[in-house]
Amino acid sequence: MADMRNDKARKDAISKASGRETYVGDLSLDGMIYACLVRTSVPRGIIKSITLPPLPDGYYYFDDRNIPENGRNELWMIQKDWKCFAAGSSGYVGETIGILCGPDRTLLYSLRDQIKVEYEEQTPAVSIEDSLALVGGPIIGENNYHCTVELQAGDGDIDEIMKNAYRVVEEKFSTGHQEHMHLETNGMMVNYEDGKYVYYASCQCPFYIRKSVAGIIGATPEDIIVRQMSTGGAFGGKEHFPDVVAGPLILAEYYLKKPIKLIFNREEDTQFSVKRHPSVVKFKTALDRKGNILAMDSIVYYNAGRYLASSYIVIQRGCMHIEGVYKFPVARTRGYSMATNTFPSCAFRGFGAPQTIFAVETHMTHIAEKLGVDPVEYKRRYLIKQGDTTITNGKIVENVRTPELIEKVCKASDYFEKSRKYGFGSGKGIGFSLYNHGGAFTGNGESAIIKAVVKVCKRKDGTVLIKAGQTEMGQGFSSAVCRIAAKTLGIPYEKVIYKYPDTSVVPDSGPTAASRSTMVPGNLVMKACEELKARWDEADELECEAHYEHPEGYPWDQASFQGYAYLGYGWGACVVEVEVDPRTAETKIKGIWSAHDVGNCIDPLIVHGQVNGGIAQGIGWASTELLENKGGYFKQHSMSDYIIPTSMDLPAQEVYYANEPYKWGPYGAKGMGELVFNGSGAAYVDALSRAINRKIDSIPNPTEVIMGHILHSEKLTEDKR
Amino acid sequence: MSEKLHIAQNLEDALLFRKENDCIVMAGSSDLMVSAYQGYGALPKFDKPVLLIRNLEELIGVRRNSDGTVEIGACTTSRQIVESPDTPWVLKQAAGRMGAVALRNSATIGGNIANASPKGDTPGPLYLLDAVVNVMSLDGGRRSIPIRDFIIKFRTIDLKNDEIITSVTIPVSDKDMTYWFYHKIGTRAANAISKLTLCACAKVSWGEVKDFRIAATASGPVTNRSRDVENIAIGLKFDELAAKASEISGAFDKVISPRAMPEFRREATRRMIEFFIDKVSKNSYKKFYN
Ligand SMILES: Cc1cc2nc3c(=O)[nH]c(=O)nc-3n(C[C@H](O)[C@H](O)[C@H](O)COP(=O)(O)OP(=O)(O)OC[C@H]3O[C@@H](n4cnc5c(N)ncnc54)[C@H](O)[C@@H]3O)c2cc1C
């Protein structure tokens, strides 16, 4: 395998560690003014009137009424349903009413606070249950479905199998909202330069912003340039959401033509930005007399919030991961993306997969425990392998190394010994999970929708510049891609240059999302570099480009959703050990062991960092990250009440790999950024359940919820061992 | 308004400014700057002039008085409290678990008391220790008020407009009690606000419980202590205590009034009290419990 030792610092290490890195908040241009958003304060209602205080000279307010005649009040994400401005009605707390601009931020915020908005309030539907019950009347359509999915694999009538089964295990799982809590809040600056609208943005997908907001002022994407600024974390929260910030800004810029900067404070970023979809997943699993699974039927509900955003794809991914890393004789799933009056849910590391993986993992564990079999043993019986049919009736293309991953984590953690010794209710618990994540866009999305292009340029000084739309947001792409290029070209890593993308300079190589950047654009960089190497002596300056081509023989039909959904998955196994204080229900994590198949680690330290962070974030989701929504209002609003774990809450992690090189990835690498989030929540909940001998079927579990489980929840087993 | 910010040069200067101006006293500012925050890039908002006292030498430090009591200056930071050999164990526990390192270098005990938040970390131990708050005004005006009276109710203290908290006096030291207990249930391991904190102590001599105290924070609008409940234990033989555990925890349950997470707070309080009673009733050698 390619030797990619960590003998070189990350490209961004020095500038970030020394504080020299420039974020959008650090930018200052002559004549720059500031903006803030004016937002709705009721979850559902008609806006009756908006009364502004007198605006001093140099202060401006814009809303939908200022959109030029050829413009439209819509943000173009996957559909165009998300309005740029609320325009007469509020569909969630924090919907943008207008944008206020001016030179002094203290005065600006005070003017904003003096704006009076009158509403005719309506009853909001906040939860999935509310939405299903059509509380307050339907929000969209007749049944509040943003979209639905139905998938089935295996032969046989699933309803018949259920009827004839020896036993049917029915369970329901739920997960809550999760906030990204990227260290840098959302923010961007817009400026009118040489006839173009230029954004300086903290974002994941510069090309998305162009496409999304151009229509508001009747412009074309080509009239807009997006320059990514150093981005202090994103996790999916800066995939589509920057469109919501950029939209009002372009309207203000249309009139003002001067630099305008808009930065969210932490409270705005926590309360008024997209979140991970809350979920309810129901299973009905048919078993025979011996406890073998005959069929698994499921219904998946995701709370999408008021607008679709990316929920169409999130629910699909959720449903496509419903079988976890397993293969059942028959499996069916039906997914519903529910409209509610909450802030729209959108991308978040895992993109719909973590919810169903948590559910299926916990369900499998519970079945095993019911049967008196160790969950690891039980799960081993159903591992999907190369050539097996997936729920979209495609096949698994690669060799699946889950048995090795299981070996590694179980051995390192002494799982079987501890599982036996701790038993149920001893205050100590060990938990286990398996998970995967399909890399890149689903099916033929890479070739049909994205059509990625990258360029590599040899320059006079002997350096090579990478031109791709891929963003660095802390995940390490800038270093990984330079390593790929350096290795391919046989030149020093220092000679390869990556710059934050500028849409007027780089080709569109697709979004930095879906764990695709190293796997797909990274591979194109390798290809382009191969050509550049072959032609190296042709000229002092030379540019080579590579276009995405989908491998032949792996069909996908987007209309019916059938075929090869993913050609390469990342695979993982995780063991978590906890100890619960019987007096207070406080939980200490004593150990975390994980093993992953990421194809190949292009940069081992960066991969290690992703594993550590992803697992910590998954445990945060499952444990302390409670984000309550009461009547349409998020209750938590800062880092002191929305509790992400700190390094003090987590032990040093032990990390292992069993890598199966990916045929179509650069030096075998495949996607891993989301994979590492997908399973730690289930392992944590498993460990916790066993420690207190209680069935836990929901996420999150802060201390007071654990106490509730101890007092009220059903026992996992009567056997105390 | 004469000045927006006055940086006091010495205590007298501070008291003079305080007398002449309706002002906000600022020590470590870790509560005040949060509440004055107006948004990204905007100036903090104070509707009165600010008197900054954090650097006044007279108000910093932990010292043992000749009568054996310990006095802690109002501007002493959590870190300084933790580092002093004279700080009682239970207060050290509290100060050492506040926020994270940066906060412990700025948060002061005077600010923590004056903030009178039910979730504040130092009031619990101070109630337990029967601490007295010393305040001063210009021209030698001094008052000393027991902390349970000084904190009148939720976020309200008995401080006049011309007064400054100068110190707290603690009359009980580690050796005065046989057993000590402190447990903060925070939201996480670091930078954690208290979900519930219980501290307790007991003095056992010649087999008899001579003193017994429990204080709970974050389980009502102010710190909860009840001498009536404590009296159930006082006078018992230590081995009679175990049988009274549920009576004591039950009686204490009537004292607390948690609003949010009531079941959790009641249950955990009960369990912690019973844990401590169990330790005391075994009369073991170990003195300190978490
Ligand atoms: C990130 C963070 C984490 C935190 N974590 C904790 C925690 O874990 N536990 C905890 O208890 N608190 C915590 N706090 C709250 C705060 O730090 C404490 O309450 C701290 O003790 C306040 O002290 P200060 O000196 O900073 O007070 P300041 O902000 O300066 O003042 C607070 C109040 O006290 C008054 N005041 C201060 N000194 C005097 C005086 N000498 N005389 C009269 N009035 C006075 C002020 O007028 C003001 O009303 C946290 C705060 C932050 C920002």
Side-chain angles (χ1 to χ4, degrees):
Chain A
M1 188 54 345
D3 176 24
M4 297 282 192
R5 277 173 309 149
N6 272 99
D7 47 356
K8 298 283 189 265
R10 282 176 64 124
K11 287 281 179 187
D12 49 354
I14 305 286
S15 65
K16 282 180 178 168
S18 64
R20 281 201 295 271
E21 187 82 0
T22 311
Y23 295 83
V24 60
D26 301 321
L27 282 186
S28 183
L29 293 183
D30 277 351
M32 182 172 80
I33 62 170
Y34 299 93
C36 64
L37 297 180
V38 180
R39 303 182 173 94
T40 62
S41 60
V42 304
R44 191 174 188 178
I46 308 293
I47 298 174
K48 306 265 286 183
S49 68
I50 302 166
T51 315
L52 301 177
L55 295 183
D57 262 6
Y59 289 80
Y60 310 90
Y61 170 83
F62 305 98
D63 64 18
D64 52 288
R65 292 166 290 188
N66 304 99
I67 290 176
E69 219 150 86
N70 60 344
R72 288 178 307 274
N73 183 25
E74 58 195 25
L75 298 165
W76 184 4
M77 294 177 192
I78 288 165
Q79 286 178 10
K80 299 178 178 174
D81 66 325
W82 195 332
K83 293 179 285 177
C84 178
F85 297 103
S89 67
S90 176
Y92 58 91
V93 173
E95 186 157 7
T96 311
I97 294 177
I99 182 168
L100 196 64
C101 309
D104 180 79
R105 282 175 283 185
T106 308
L107 180 54
L108 190 69
Y109 302 148
S110 124
L111 290 168
R112 177 194 58 197
D113 296 343
Q114 293 169 50
I115 295 177
K116 291 206 169 55
V117 183
E118 257 192 313
Y119 301 93
E120 183 185 312
E121 290 192 46
Q122 298 165 334
T123 311
V126 175
S127 61
I128 288 169
E129 291 75 15
D130 288 355
S131 177
L132 286 168
L134 302 179
V135 168
I139 299 166
I140 54 169
E142 281 174 7
N143 42 25
N144 276 342
Y145 299 159
H146 275 297
C147 51
T148 60
V149 195
E150 183 164 349
L151 300 171
Q152 178 160 359
D155 296 328
D157 178 340
I158 197 158
D159 299 313
E160 274 301 306
I161 299 174
M162 292 289 160
K163 244 189 259 159
N164 301 328
Y166 174 73
R167 180 181 199 176
V168 175
V169 183
E170 288 191 50
E171 286 197 295
K172 179 174 142 184
F173 299 93
S174 62
T175 65
H177 274 113
Q178 188 184 20
E179 157 59 24
H180 303 80
M181 210 47 102
H182 23 66
L183 203 50
E184 183 207 23
T185 58
N186 278 283
M188 63 182 69
M189 185 171 83
V190 66
N191 191 27
Y192 194 68
E193 297 173 16
D194 303 325
K196 303 244 183 202
Y197 293 90
V198 183
Y199 284 101
Y200 299 83
S202 174
C203 66
Q204 290 176 238
C205 311
F207 286 92
Y208 276 9
I209 297 178
R210 273 190 353 161
K211 166 186 140 187
S212 188
V213 305
I216 296 166
I217 54 166
T220 65
E222 289 68 36
D223 297 324
I224 298 169
I225 295 174
V226 180
R227 298 188 175 133
Q228 189 219 357
M229 297 297 296
S230 182
T231 297
F235 307 117
K238 294 174 183 171
E239 183 172 340
H240 288 289
F241 186 68
D243 303 1
V244 177
V245 188
L249 274 174
I250 204 163
L251 183 66
E253 192 62 18
Y254 176 82
Y255 290 103
L256 301 180
K257 304 274 192 301
K258 55 170 95 177
I260 312 174
K261 188 153 99 176
L262 198 174
I263 311 264
F264 282 24
N265 66 34
R266 179 62 62 189
E267 183 166 342
E268 292 177 294
D269 215 53
T270 309
Q271 300 229 312
F272 310 128
S273 71
V274 294
K275 306 281 173 266
R276 183 185 300 285
H277 295 67
S279 72
V280 170
V281 178
K282 293 183 190 174
F283 285 110
K284 258 170 106 173
T285 299
L287 305 180
D288 70 9
R289 195 174 292 275
K290 292 186 181 147
N292 297 313
I293 295 174
L294 303 172
M296 189 181 276
D297 195 8
S298 54
I299 296 187
V300 180
Y301 297 107
Y302 283 178
N303 182 342
R306 176 61 189 87
Y307 297 122
L308 182 73
S310 57
S311 292
Y312 175 61
I313 307 166
V314 171
I315 188 80
Q316 287 168 359
R317 209 180 246 278
C319 288
M320 286 189 281
H321 280 82
I322 193 73
E323 286 186 288
V325 301
Y326 311 110
K327 171 72 201 141
F328 305 116
V330 184
R332 176 173 70 180
T333 186
R334 283 167 288 180
Y336 304 88
S337 202
M338 304 303 302
T340 62
N341 296 108
T342 58
F343 211 100
S345 305
C346 194
F348 196 149
R349 199 177 200 169
F351 212 71
Q355 293 94 321
T356 46
I357 289 176
F358 163 70
V360 71
E361 277 301 299
T362 311
H363 185 52
M364 289 290 281
T365 301
H366 288 171
I367 294 174
E369 278 156 358
K370 250 189 193 37
L371 299 169
V373 183
D374 192 282
V376 175
E377 291 301 354
Y378 191 69
K379 289 175 179 180
R380 264 186 181 149
R381 300 178 191 168
Y382 295 95
L383 299 177
I384 200 165
K385 50 188 194 309
Q386 190 166 27
D388 280 350
T389 305
T390 67
I391 195 145
T392 56
N393 294 296
K395 300 235 184 301
I396 295 286
V397 176
E398 64 198 329
N399 176 31
V400 182
R401 301 177 73 161
T402 40
E404 283 166 76
L405 301 175
I406 297 171
E407 279 304 317
K408 286 190 188 222
V409 284
C410 289
K411 184 155 176 264
S413 63
D414 203 7
Y415 170 84
F416 287 104
E417 172 61 17
K418 286 177 180 166
S419 174
R420 197 187 49 74
K421 200 167 77 189
Y422 299 162
F424 299 91
S426 69
K428 290 183 179 178
I430 192 151
F432 170 86
S433 72
L434 286 170
Y435 45 99
N436 61 356
H437 195 91
F441 267 41
T442 306
N444 62 352
E446 292 286 343
S447 54
I449 304 169
I450 300 184
K451 305 184 178 84
V453 182
V454 307
K455 293 181 183 170
V456 294
C457 316
K458 175 187 172 187
R459 303 193 293 187
K460 272 208 181 90
D461 61 3
T463 61
V464 170
L465 177 69
I466 310 270
K467 288 185 179 174
Q470 259 40 58
T471 51
E472 168 66 58
M473 47 180 135
Q475 89 281 35
F477 178 77
S478 60
S479 310
V481 75
C482 291
R483 279 174 170 273
I484 291 169
K487 182 167 176 63
T488 311
L489 291 164
I491 63 172
Y493 169 73
E494 292 74 15
K495 295 252 176 195
V496 186
I497 315 287
Y498 161 91
K499 289 184 174 171
Y500 291 121
D502 172 328
T503 58
S504 67
V505 175
V506 302
D508 186 355
S509 50
T512 305
S515 302
R516 65 182 287 280
S517 295
T518 301
M519 187 176 179
V520 179
N523 196 49
L524 295 182
V525 165
M526 187 182 77
K527 282 190 177 162
C529 285
E530 280 165 358
E531 187 193 331
L532 182 62
K533 190 175 184 190
R535 296 173 47 199
W536 187 261
D537 294 328
E538 271 180 27
D540 282 352
E541 286 180 79
L542 197 58
E543 189 167 274
C544 295
E545 65 178 50
H547 295 249
Y548 182 78
E549 284 166 46
H550 204 63
E552 292 284 330
Y554 305 99
W556 174 259
D557 180 50
Q558 183 66 16
S560 63
F561 243 70
Q562 295 291 298
Y564 289 78
Y566 307 105
L567 301 185
Y569 291 79
W571 304 86
C574 179
V575 170
V576 173
E577 184 179 341
V578 304
E579 210 173 295
V580 182
D581 184 333
R583 297 169 304 172
T584 60
E586 287 166 286
T587 305
K588 256 210 177 77
I589 299 169
K590 307 297 282 187
I592 302 174
W593 299 264
S594 69
H596 293 100
D597 166 11
V598 302
N600 179 28
C601 303
I602 294 293
D603 189 318
L605 254 188
I606 288 177
V607 172
H608 193 95
Q610 287 290 304
V611 173
N612 270 330
I615 284 181
Q617 200 169 31
I619 288 178
W621 174 54
S623 60
T624 53
E625 295 187 32
L626 176 67
L627 182 52
E628 296 162 283
N629 193 301
K630 296 251 157 89
Y633 300 84
F634 286 121
K635 207 173 146 204
Q636 287 71 19
H637 50 76
S638 70
M639 280 185 167
S640 69
D641 56 10
Y642 182 77
I643 308 300
I644 56 171
T646 68
S647 52
M648 304 270 288
D649 295 273
L650 300 160
Q653 298 184 23
E654 285 185 31
V655 177
Y656 303 90
Y657 303 96
N659 284 326
E660 177 70 19
Y662 175 57
K663 205 155 115 190
W664 299 288
Y667 302 103
K670 48 191 179 186
M672 60 84 53
E674 293 170 284
L675 167 72
V676 293
F677 179 95
N678 286 1
S680 57
Y684 174 82
V685 167
D686 183 15
L688 180 60
S689 296
R690 296 199 215 181
I692 62 176
N693 190 19
R694 293 293 183 281
K695 210 164 181 169
I696 299 178
D697 45 21
S698 58
I699 271 178
N701 291 281
T703 316
E704 64 277 13
V705 171
I706 299 172
M707 181 66 90
H709 285 307
I710 292 173
L711 294 174
H712 308 297
S713 293
E714 183 190 333
K715 284 193 174 167
L716 269 181
T717 162
E718 292 303 325
D719 163 23
K720 260 217 141 185
R721 277 194 245 173
Chain B
M1 212 184 285
S2 53
E3 268 177 288
K4 278 193 171 158
L5 171 69
H6 182 77
I7 301 174
Q9 297 307 305
N10 52 50
L11 182 56
E12 199 184 330
D13 174 39
L15 292 171
L16 180 64
F17 187 83
R18 183 88 168 119
K19 190 179 177 81
E20 290 179 347
N21 298 275
D22 184 12
C23 66
I24 294 166
V25 179
M26 179 183 278
S29 80
S30 61
D31 278 315
L32 284 173
M33 289 303 277
V34 173
S35 54
Y37 182 71
Q38 293 301 299
Y40 182 80
L43 294 171
K45 188 173 163 197
F46 293 103
D47 44 20
K48 294 175 184 176
V50 171
L51 168 62
L52 186 64
I53 60 166
R54 71 172 296 171
N55 293 325
L56 296 185
E57 297 282 342
E58 302 95 311
L59 302 185
I60 298 172
V62 181
R63 69 162 186 274
R64 191 169 285 283
N65 293 323
S66 53
D67 62 358
T69 59
V70 169
E71 192 169 340
I72 302 178
C75 291
T76 311
T77 62
S78 298
R79 176 179 176 172
Q80 291 164 329
I81 290 171
V82 171
E83 286 177 352
S84 167
D86 292 321
T87 306
W89 177 85
V90 69
L91 182 59
K92 247 185 213 190
Q93 296 292 307
R97 282 172 174 72
M98 283 175 69
V101 176
L103 183 93
R104 293 197 286 273
N105 282 332
S106 59
T108 68
I109 192 165
N112 205 232
I113 294 169
N115 197 39
S117 157
K119 293 180 178 175
D121 279 332
T122 63
L126 295 176
Y127 273 65
L128 191 78
L129 298 164
D130 284 335
V132 171
V133 181
N134 305 304
V135 305
M136 210 187 263
S137 55
L138 198 65
D139 312 324
R142 284 167 195 269
R143 296 192 298 142
S144 293
I145 312 117
I147 182 134
R148 62 174 178 276
D149 299 327
F150 184 73
I151 296 179
I152 298 170
K153 56 179 189 187
F154 178 79
R155 294 201 167 277
T156 314
I157 52 172
D158 176 16
L159 186 77
K160 302 208 174 77
N161 246 348
D162 61 346
E163 288 175 334
I164 286 174
I165 303 171
T166 51
S167 65
V168 275
T169 304
I170 299 172
V172 181
S173 65
D174 290 352
K175 64 174 172 21
D176 296 332
M177 297 282 167
T178 324
Y179 300 106
W180 293 92
F181 175 82
Y182 178 89
H183 194 95
K184 171 179 176 176
I185 305 173
T187 44
R188 64 184 152 216
N191 244 330
I193 305 295
S194 167
K195 288 192 189 205
L196 178 69
T197 301
L198 194 84
C199 38
C201 57
K203 179 178 172 139
V204 179
S205 93
W206 299 107
E208 191 183 306
V209 180
K210 299 285 188 198
D211 201 351
F212 185 87
R213 304 177 183 189
I214 311 168
T217 49
S219 56
V222 295
T223 299
N224 289 301
R225 243 196 91 180
S226 161
R227 206 55 186 161
D228 287 344
V229 174
E230 295 168 2
N231 279 333
I232 303 173
I234 296 169
L236 295 177
K237 293 286 175 210
F238 74 86
D239 52 3
E240 295 169 352
L241 201 53
K244 291 274 187 184
S246 62
E247 186 186 333
I248 295 168
S249 65
F252 196 75
D253 189 59
K254 300 208 168 64
V255 174
I256 62 176
S257 52
R259 218 161 41 94
M261 311 183 245
E263 180 182 63
F264 165 70
R265 287 179 160 140
R266 289 187 183 281
E267 191 64 28
T269 303
R270 185 179 68 70
R271 289 174 184 224
M272 285 194 283
I273 292 173
E274 292 176 9
F275 167 86
F276 180 61
I277 289 176
D278 178 58
K279 297 297 171 197
V280 177
S281 66
K282 292 195 172 122
N283 203 3
S284 79
Y285 288 105
K286 202 175 155 200
K287 193 176 175 79
F288 302 109
Y289 295 91
N290 280 119

